[in-house]
Every structure is written in C-alpha cells, then in structure tokens.
Amino acid sequence: WLTAQTPWGIVALGKRPMAFGTGLQYNGDGNVTTEGVALISNYGPLRLSYAFRPYWQQPQNPRAGQDEFPYYNIYDRNGIRRLANRFFVTYRQGLIDFGVIYAWLKWHAGPESQASQEARETFVPYDDDFRHGSAYVKYSNGTFFCNSELAFLERITKRQGANPLYFESWRYMTELGACVGPAKLSLLYTFMPGPDRRSGIRIDKQPFHQMAPFGTHDLHRPYSYLLGYGYGAGVDAYDLNGNGYINDASVLAARLDYAVAATLNVFASFLSAQRTSHGYGWGFMRPIQEASVSRIVNAAGAVEDDISWTPAIRFRPIGGANPAPSIPDQDLGWEIQAGFDWALLDQYLLHALIAYWQPGKWFNY
C-alpha cells in the first residue's frame, strides 16, 4: 500500500492490515484487511477518516446459495458493490485513547450474473446489506489500566420470493490490570455470542458469525494456547492464517507477568470458558470401514486399482431431517499455562510455554 502526507492530511491507497481497538474484531494480523482510498485528517489528538472503494467485486454469499463469486465475469460492472464506505474517529490525549469505526457495504446479484441460460432461469436474485463496527476506550496512568470494546456485525440478505436472512451479532470485552514494580496483573472478560438454535433448527436471525476475517486470537492468545489458538474453541474457529481463536464463549481469565530482569519475563495464566449458546446438536461415534486405493500393474501389464479396507472410528454430527437435541452443558473447561520470554541478544528472543487444558462437559456430546 501507499501513504502520502498532504497539506490537508494523509491519503492511503491499496490493501493494508486493518487494526482497530483492542483486537476484539479487527486485529490487523490474519483477519480483516482494508482496501481502497482513505483520507485521514489530523487535528492534534483527534483523527477523522473517510474511506471508500471505487471498484470492488462482490464476495461469495453461501447464505444465498453462492459458494463462488456471484458474477462469473470479473469485468462485469454489474458485479461492483453498490456501496463500500468506512468512517472512523480516534482521540488520543494523555491517559485516554478512544475510537469509533463504522463500515457499510451493499450489493445486488441478479440473473445476469450467471454464465448460462439454464442458470439464469433458476438463479434467485438477492440484495445484501452489510454493516460492522466497534467502539473502544483505553485508559492507563502507568499503574492501573483498563481496555474495553463493544463490536457489532449486522448483515441482511433479502432474497426474491424467499424470507430474508439476518445476522445481528454483538460482542464485548473488558481487561483490567495493574503494574506494580516488576509485576503486572491482568484480568480479562470477553463475550462472543453463539448460534440461536430452537427445537433442533437454527432460526433465520442469528447472533453468531464464524467469519474468518473477524477472528480474535490476538486478544485471547496471552491467556489461552490450547483451547483457543490450538483447537479453535471446539467450533472450527480459525482465521485466514490458520490461527485458532475463541468464539461462541464467555471467558474469564487472569495473567501474572514478572520481570526477573530487564531481558527476562516470566508469566502464568488461568482461563475458564463457557459456551454462550445451546446452538449445537449432539454427535455420535461409530465404526466405519475406510478404503485405501493404490495403483498396481497386473500380470498382463494393465494398470488396476488395489483396494484395501481398514476399520476406523469417526465422529459425525447429527443433523439433516432428524435434528438432534442441543448440547445441554455449556462448560468448555479451564486452562493453565506458564512460560517465559528471554531476550538473549539484540533481536533474538527465546520464548517457552507449557499449557494444560481440561476440556469441559460440552465436549462430552
């Protein structure tokens, strides 16, 4: 990307990481990026920004039955997003850092998006209205600190001849702490909503989203290596870099850091998590026969497949026409970890960590 300082502010062009707030929704690493033209004005501690995308193709929309880009021809200007705007304001002065961001995107897909006449006749036109944003505040006086953020994501897909589909997700976090001499104590609470499932069926208005561009692994990584970063909280939550993060959970965590020396920091943490929804059905374990195929040349010189079968056990979720009861227990377990960071030489850091996670009863189902 390119940035330029002008007499009226900063102009930014290109694809760049989008980091904002505490990392609850935008961490700038392995999740959402921002593209297009941004104008940023500086008024001392106050920054105002407006950004727009003059040309940007529509994304995939699996909720509307589109697993690929809806417009087969990327040069078709009908496939451009109708609206792609973003605003933010930040204020940083003394002990306070405060900011608000808001993004609004809209697009439409019609039969003209399809390549064949047969597909055009069966395509269901839809309109998408997508908004997301957050507000955060950070306070630090050198001894005590507090970081809080509230983030939302709303998406409405209106389909011709069908009921609309809704996302409305709100998440929030608070981190409190104190620094006393060489010691630092941090306390964290976060809430991420889960799917709304009733009588075995997810309703059409969901508070849950599993969009990789909005992962939170940076926020929870200091407190959880296994449950979040390693195992994606049990709901396949991984960002665009494959880093796991915690989703559909309320989290309570604490961490203690102690600087043994100027170049050596030791730490220990504890985390407890609860699923915030009853949005998942029971699964089952069953024995199956797995086939392995190898190509061989027979006595006649012809190539044929040699199939062998081996027994295995696999987990399968229950779904389809006979939805299973929801998992009744919300306990995801607890995790402890300890480690150190040791700066042995300039630009050379030795990091060690050991973690233990005791899965909760939610995983029994």
Side-chain angles (χ1 to χ4, degrees):
W1 69 91
L2 172 70
T3 59
Q5 181 70 54
T6 70
W8 56 86
I10 300 172
V11 179
L13 303 170
K15 185 179 183 70
R16 51 205 181 274
M18 182 175 175
F20 195 85
T22 65
L24 179 66
Q25 188 151 276
Y26 317 100
N27 69 10
D29 176 26
N31 69 0
V32 70
T33 60
T34 181
E35 298 85 12
V37 182
L39 308 175
I40 306 168
S41 296
N42 289 306
Y43 295 97
L46 182 67
R47 301 175 73 211
L48 304 173
S49 174
Y50 167 68
F52 65 96
R53 294 170 176 169
Y55 185 99
W56 196 252
Q57 191 184 20
Q58 298 181 36
Q60 301 96 324
N61 192 346
R63 303 175 69 222
Q66 298 297 312
D67 295 326
E68 299 178 350
F69 289 97
Y71 281 82
Y72 71 96
N73 181 1
I74 64 173
Y75 300 106
D76 187 347
R77 295 185 63 84
N78 290 304
I80 302 172
R81 289 179 178 176
R82 291 181 170 182
L83 183 69
N85 292 329
R86 182 179 61 108
F87 309 85
F88 79 74
V89 55
T90 60
Y91 179 83
R92 296 169 181 169
Q93 178 70 26
L95 311 180
I96 295 292
D97 180 356
F98 169 79
V100 177
I101 190 169
Y102 178 78
W104 188 10
L105 305 96
K106 296 180 69 173
W107 55 87
H108 165 82
E112 74 283 349
S113 65
Q114 305 303 296
S116 67
Q117 183 62 35
E118 181 182 6
R120 294 188 188 106
E121 293 174 353
T122 59
F123 183 83
V124 179
Y126 67 87
D127 290 271
D128 249 359
D129 195 322
F130 187 26
R131 314 173 195 211
H132 58 86
S134 78
Y136 77 91
V137 60
K138 298 179 182 180
Y139 170 85
S140 176
N141 64 5
T143 300
F144 299 100
F145 65 88
C146 174
N147 304 317
S148 295
E149 185 171 0
L150 172 66
F152 82 95
L153 184 149
E154 180 184 64
R155 185 171 185 176
I156 303 173
T157 303
K158 296 181 179 179
R159 303 170 296 168
Q160 183 174 303
N163 292 331
L165 300 172
Y166 297 92
F167 271 137
E168 186 177 342
S169 176
W170 292 83
R171 55 176 62 181
Y172 48 88
M173 64 78 64
T174 297
E175 186 177 36
L176 304 171
C179 300
V180 180
K184 175 186 175 183
L185 176 65
S186 305
L187 306 173
L188 175 71
Y189 174 75
T190 60
F191 176 89
M192 286 75 61
D196 192 340
R197 188 173 187 263
R198 306 179 189 184
S199 301
I201 303 297
R202 293 190 181 188
I203 67 172
D204 60 354
K205 185 174 183 178
Q206 284 294 320
F208 172 77
H209 70 83
Q210 188 82 310
M211 299 182 183
F214 296 98
T216 61
H217 83 271
D218 281 352
L219 183 63
H220 295 103
R221 176 70 182 274
Y223 302 90
S224 172
Y225 182 78
L226 291 174
L227 171 61
Y229 183 74
Y231 287 92
V235 292
D236 201 27
Y238 295 92
D239 69 12
L240 298 177
N241 286 338
N243 300 312
Y245 63 92
I246 294 180
N247 205 2
D248 186 6
S250 62
V251 174
L252 279 171
R255 173 171 165 139
L256 179 64
D257 290 79
Y258 188 84
V260 178
T263 59
L264 176 61
N265 178 72
V266 297
F267 61 87
S269 68
F270 173 83
L271 177 140
S272 177
Q274 297 281 323
R275 189 65 77 217
T276 56
S277 76
H278 293 288
Y280 299 91
W282 292 20
F284 63 90
M285 302 286 286
R286 68 173 182 180
I288 62 173
Q289 292 285 337
E290 287 192 338
S292 59
V293 181
S294 59
R295 293 292 176 91
I296 62 172
V297 179
N298 60 23
V303 177
E304 61 181 26
D305 292 336
D306 179 31
I307 303 177
S308 60
W309 297 88
T310 57
I313 295 178
R314 288 291 180 265
F315 174 81
R316 294 288 185 271
I318 301 177
N322 300 304
S326 294
I327 295 176
D329 201 296
Q330 295 173 286
D331 183 25
L332 298 181
W334 52 268
E335 180 178 345
I336 57 173
Q337 63 178 18
F340 66 84
D341 297 289
W342 191 3
L344 297 174
L345 299 170
D346 183 34
Q347 298 183 353
Y348 184 82
L349 178 70
L350 178 63
H351 174 73
L353 181 145
I354 184 170
Y356 175 84
W357 168 42
Q358 177 60 56
K361 289 187 177 180
W362 184 86
F363 292 93
N364 288 5
Y365 295 84

